[in-house]
């Protein structure tokens, strides 16, 4: 009974969400139209042929509390969110599983990622026949947290007053980028206390940390790690192999063997330095390897000299350096279901199948021209299929600029819906925002937006360190509202 009532309520909620989402996406439609460039997020030159994920699906957001989606909702979501354990095994130990979740049959259809399986965990979890109609989407139940056809619902102790406390309601780490050069700003350091996860914004990039071969400058990275440690934050190292912020000595290496050995040495030395102390718990091992249309890797010294196998080599070196750190592949414009996301999905699937040590995928979610917004449905679906491989997902660098005409309410809604999608996928373990305040947001310096003469207003706090409504949207999503 209760479940049916919840089902109806969730249908109404979903209808309302769909209407809101349509409004949001029609505003964001401007972006979809405008997003043709392949502008890398770090300010390179735009090109053409970027992919603009479809925003027209308009299907429901995830299955509601206690048992899946309403009729007529996305079959992928219905199947994906209702059990179905990869390898047919059972899963358990989900984070804050929904109370009152019952069994729910998955949508008919063959799952490419494991099909039916029983999943039992959390209160009221029971078997769910998985299987995602529609192909690749996997199943939430596959990943150690499936709860028998239920969504993953936060359970808070008391009323959280910070993002990190709200994240704790579903055991998610809540992060921000931290830049060493802002640590002398007391508003910056005070606001950082809202978070329990830090990503050094630039300090561990290759040009900063190994500016000349074999000479390592750990001081700026150490500053961020020490700040994090003294504030009870964990750190995700960022980033070991990328095409930007690479010193010229790396680009000038002539032979493949010499480059591979420089890369392996870089990974080994940097990870060795940070592995003691337990603060740096994860790494973006390879960042942004794929071109935006998902057809091939960017042309970099790594891809051109080592071929695509450099990714496997990098992850193997990373695992050899630190057996305990989580190892992620991280990319932008690949959060939803699009060609680039498909390419990344297929790459990490292959890595898992080959036994390459990868723990998860970072979805950056930099949103706004030139990065077309993905629908929260698509983001959920993408997370579910990655989770079905047994991998974690982290939202790694989220910001949402308003230069395409978003209202504060629409920005709040988008933040809310993306965070809510993460909360609904047990394997989505962390949500990091790319800076807390607009004051220091990289978007201001990013020349591929249409923000000229406007305030991108992309973050959760404004230039004067006042919380924006987007902050409330994130808080709501984290506590399950
Ligand atoms: O540190 C120098 C400073 O000494 C110099 O005076 C100044 C003059 O321009 O430049 C400073 O370095 C800049 C650095 O940010 C610190 O502000 C670099 O030029 C600039 O390229 C660098 O931009 C960073 C960019 O990555 C490239 O590394 C952004 O801060 C950073 O937010 C951005 O972050 C990336 C992620 O790592 C990967 N995903 C996309 C994301 C956004 O592009």
């Amino acid at each position: 009974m209760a479940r049916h009532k919840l089902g109806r309520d969730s249908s109404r909620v979903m209808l309302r969400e769909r209407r809101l989402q349509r409004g949001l996406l029609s505003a964001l439609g401007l972006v979809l139209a405008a997003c043709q460039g392949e502008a890398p997020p770090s300010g390179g030159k735009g090109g053409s042929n970027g992919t603009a994920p479809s925003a027209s699906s308009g299907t429901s957001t995830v299955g509601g509390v206690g048992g899946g989606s309403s009729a007529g909702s996305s079959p992928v979501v219905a199947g994906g969110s209702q059990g179905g354990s990869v390898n047919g095994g059972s899963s358990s130990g989900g984070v804050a599983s929904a109370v009152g979740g019952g069994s729910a049959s998955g949508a008919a259809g063959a799952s490419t990622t494991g099909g039916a399986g029983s999943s039992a965990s959390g209160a009221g979890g029971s078997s769910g026949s998985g299987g995602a109609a529609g192909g690749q989407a996997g199943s939430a139940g596959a990943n150690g947290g499936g709860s028998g056809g239920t969504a993953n619902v936060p359970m808070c102790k008391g009323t959280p007053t910070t993002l990190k406390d709200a994240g704790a309601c579903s055991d998610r780490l809540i992060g921000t980028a931290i830049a060493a050069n802002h640590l002398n700003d007391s508003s910056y350091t005070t606001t950082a206390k809202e978070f329990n996860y830090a990503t050094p914004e630039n300090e561990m990039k290759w040009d900063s940390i190994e500016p000349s071969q074999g000479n390592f400058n750990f001081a700026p990275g150490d500053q961020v790690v020490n700040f994090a440690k003294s504030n009870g934050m964990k750190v995700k190292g960022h980033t070991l192999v990328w095409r930007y912020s690479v010193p010229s000595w790396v680009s000038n290496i002539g032979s493949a063997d010499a480059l591979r050995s420089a890369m392996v040495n870089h990974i080994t030395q940097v990870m060795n330095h940070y592995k003691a102390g337990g603060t740096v718990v994860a790494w973006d091992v390879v960042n942004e390897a794929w071109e935006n249309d998902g057809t091939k890797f960017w042309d970099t010294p790594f891809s051109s000299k080592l071929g695509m196998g450099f990714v496997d080599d990098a992850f193997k070196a990373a695992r050899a350096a630190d057996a305990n750190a989580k190892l992620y592949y991280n990319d932008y414009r690949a959060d939803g279901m699009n060609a680039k996301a498909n390419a990344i999905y297929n790459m990490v699937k292959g890595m898992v199948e080959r036994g390459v040590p990868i723990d998860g995928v970072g979805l950056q979610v930099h949103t706004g021209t030139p990065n077309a917004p993905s629908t929260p449905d698509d983001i959920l679906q993408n997370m579910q299929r990655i989770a079905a491989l047994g991998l974690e997902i982290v939202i790694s660098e989220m910001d949402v600029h308003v230069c395409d005409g978003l209202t504060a309410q629409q920005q709040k809604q988008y933040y809310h819906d993306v965070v809510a999608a993460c909360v609904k996928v047990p394997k989505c373990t962390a949500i990091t925002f790319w800076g807390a305040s607009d004051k220091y947001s990289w978007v201001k310096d990013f020349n591929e937006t249409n923000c000229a003469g406007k305030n991108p207003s992309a973050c959760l706090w404004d230039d004067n360190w006042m919380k924006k409504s987007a902050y409330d949207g994130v808080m709501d999503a984290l506590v399950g509202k």
Side-chain angles (χ1 to χ4, degrees):
M1 257 324 253
R3 184 157 55 87
H4 291 148
K5 181 172 182 316
L6 272 171
R8 278 201 305 276
D9 286 351
S10 82
S11 295
R12 274 188 225 114
V13 169
M14 283 190 289
L15 275 172
R16 212 168 45 233
E17 281 182 357
R18 238 175 283 171
R19 263 181 243 124
L20 275 167
Q21 203 178 87
R22 271 199 293 272
L24 170 64
L25 290 169
S26 83
L28 292 172
L30 287 168
V31 183
L32 289 168
C35 281
Q36 292 150 3
E38 57 180 31
S42 46
K45 268 205 173 310
S48 56
N49 304 324
T51 57
S54 164
S56 61
S57 56
T59 51
S60 86
T61 51
V62 292
V65 173
S69 327
S70 61
S73 64
S74 156
V76 175
V77 171
S81 63
Q82 295 176 13
S85 145
V86 159
N87 306 324
S90 66
S91 58
S92 61
V95 177
S97 299
V99 175
S103 66
S105 296
S111 162
T112 58
T113 50
S118 72
S119 149
S121 73
S126 64
S127 67
S129 82
Q136 298 165 301
S139 57
N143 302 295
S147 45
T150 63
N152 204 39
V153 175
M155 292 197 290
C156 304
K157 294 182 194 133
T159 306
T161 54
T162 58
L163 293 175
K164 65 186 176 191
D165 287 349
C169 301
S170 62
D171 205 18
R172 267 68 177 166
L173 289 169
I174 306 298
T176 183
I178 295 281
N181 59 326
H182 301 317
L183 290 174
N184 56 1
D185 179 334
S186 62
S187 299
Y188 190 87
T189 52
T190 302
T191 307
K193 293 180 194 304
E194 288 263 347
F195 302 90
N196 54 10
Y197 203 29
T199 305
E201 188 166 353
N202 292 306
E203 295 72 7
M204 295 184 185
K205 290 174 183 172
W206 201 322
D207 61 353
S208 171
I209 211 162
E210 192 187 4
S212 62
Q213 188 157 19
N215 293 316
F216 290 86
N217 175 21
F218 293 116
D222 288 356
Q223 232 185 307
V224 175
V225 172
N226 292 337
F227 172 79
K229 191 173 185 180
S230 59
N231 286 282
M233 305 163 93
K234 299 294 185 197
V235 170
K236 172 156 68 74
H238 173 83
T239 175
L240 293 163
V241 187
W242 188 26
R243 69 193 180 110
Y244 288 114
S245 305
V246 176
S248 53
W249 70 263
V250 174
S251 315
N252 293 337
I253 292 177
S255 80
D257 283 350
L259 179 61
R260 186 179 296 103
S261 136
M263 180 184 82
V264 168
N265 185 56
H266 177 77
I267 292 169
T268 307
Q269 301 298 327
V270 174
M271 289 184 72
N272 272 345
H273 178 80
Y274 287 109
K275 92 174 147 184
T279 300
V280 180
V281 295
W283 283 92
D284 290 328
V285 177
V286 175
N287 197 46
E288 302 173 10
W290 282 94
E291 286 202 17
N292 290 330
D293 62 7
T295 57
K296 58 184 187 303
F297 278 6
W298 295 107
D299 185 11
T300 67
F302 307 107
S303 63
S304 66
K305 294 199 181 81
L306 307 180
M308 294 172 85
F310 87 82
V311 174
D312 286 11
D313 292 344
F315 276 83
K316 286 175 189 167
R319 175 59 75 237
D322 187 342
N324 298 316
K326 292 286 172 74
L327 308 178
Y328 300 127
Y329 174 82
N330 187 47
D331 216 324
Y332 69 99
R333 214 184 287 185
D335 35 49
M337 299 293 287
N338 58 35
K340 185 170 180 176
N342 293 344
I344 291 165
Y345 170 79
N346 288 324
M347 177 184 74
V348 299
K349 182 168 182 284
M351 292 170 75
V352 169
E353 287 165 358
R354 291 192 298 280
V356 177
I358 179 170
D359 295 298
V361 177
L363 308 178
Q364 295 186 8
V365 202
H366 291 294
T367 305
T369 298
N371 298 314
S374 298
T375 66
D377 275 352
D378 273 4
I379 294 174
L380 177 69
Q381 192 179 329
N382 193 30
M383 287 180 180
Q384 284 175 330
R385 68 175 171 172
I386 295 167
L389 298 172
L391 296 175
E392 283 183 22
I393 302 97
V394 292
I395 292 178
S396 55
E397 306 184 9
M398 187 174 185
D399 50 27
V400 182
H401 76 64
V402 301
C403 304
D404 303 313
L406 244 61
T407 64
Q409 174 58 33
Q410 288 167 330
Q411 183 190 45
K412 172 185 180 181
Q413 188 72 45
Y414 194 71
Y415 264 111
H416 172 277
D417 291 353
V418 173
V419 171
C422 172
V423 168
K424 283 166 182 156
V425 178
K427 292 287 270 186
C428 184
T429 55
I431 302 161
T432 291
F433 303 95
W434 208 237
S437 158
D438 293 335
K439 182 168 184 184
Y440 298 123
S441 170
W442 75 285
V443 183
K444 286 181 171 169
D445 301 320
F446 182 31
N447 59 14
E448 301 296 338
T449 61
N450 53 4
C451 292
K454 303 176 200 165
N455 186 342
S457 189
C459 300
L460 302 181
W461 279 260
D462 71 13
D463 288 293
N464 300 310
W465 302 97
M466 300 299 289
K467 288 174 187 166
K468 291 152 59 172
S469 56
Y471 175 98
D472 301 327
V474 171
M475 276 297 256
D476 285 350
L478 290 174
V479 302
K481 284 196 218 159

